[in-house]
Amino acid sequence: MVIFFESFNRKTFLAQTGLSIDFVQDNQSSSQKGVLRGLHFQQGEFAQAKLVRVLEEKFLDVVVDLRKTSSTLVNM
């Protein structure tokens, strides 16, 4: 079996999102139901945008904004 696909196209992404990004890495993984994959804290020069692609079924993507200036921050 031969598989080839274009996983990212900068011009198409810009046209659909209005975001001009410097995309430098593409990873692909496979998970089974019930898997929790990744919890990332990023800030400053090492922060990265995420591009998520789901080929089958569905997924739940959760984002937590820890910035003290965030309008959604809940102090406990």
Side-chain angles (χ1 to χ4, degrees):
M1 175 191 305
V2 177
I3 298 173
F4 175 82
F5 63 92
E6 182 178 65
S7 64
F8 178 78
N9 182 293
R10 187 177 200 162
K11 288 180 182 179
T12 302
F13 187 82
L14 175 62
Q16 293 186 11
T17 67
L19 301 173
S20 178
I21 63 170
D22 185 15
F23 188 77
V24 295
Q25 184 175 341
D26 179 30
N27 300 323
Q28 184 168 325
S29 64
S30 178
S31 299
Q32 297 175 346
K33 184 178 181 177
V35 169
L36 174 64
R37 182 173 295 277
L39 178 60
H40 306 275
F41 175 79
Q42 300 176 339
Q43 69 179 29
E45 66 179 294
F46 300 107
Q48 297 177 339
K50 302 292 186 222
L51 176 63
V52 177
R53 175 180 62 240
V54 178
L55 301 180
E56 293 182 22
E57 302 299 328
K58 56 187 175 182
F59 78 104
L60 173 64
D61 190 21
V62 178
V63 177
V64 179
D65 186 351
L66 299 174
R67 297 174 297 173
K68 291 181 181 180
T69 58
S70 172
S71 64
T72 61
L73 181 66
V74 177
N75 291 314
M76 299 184 144

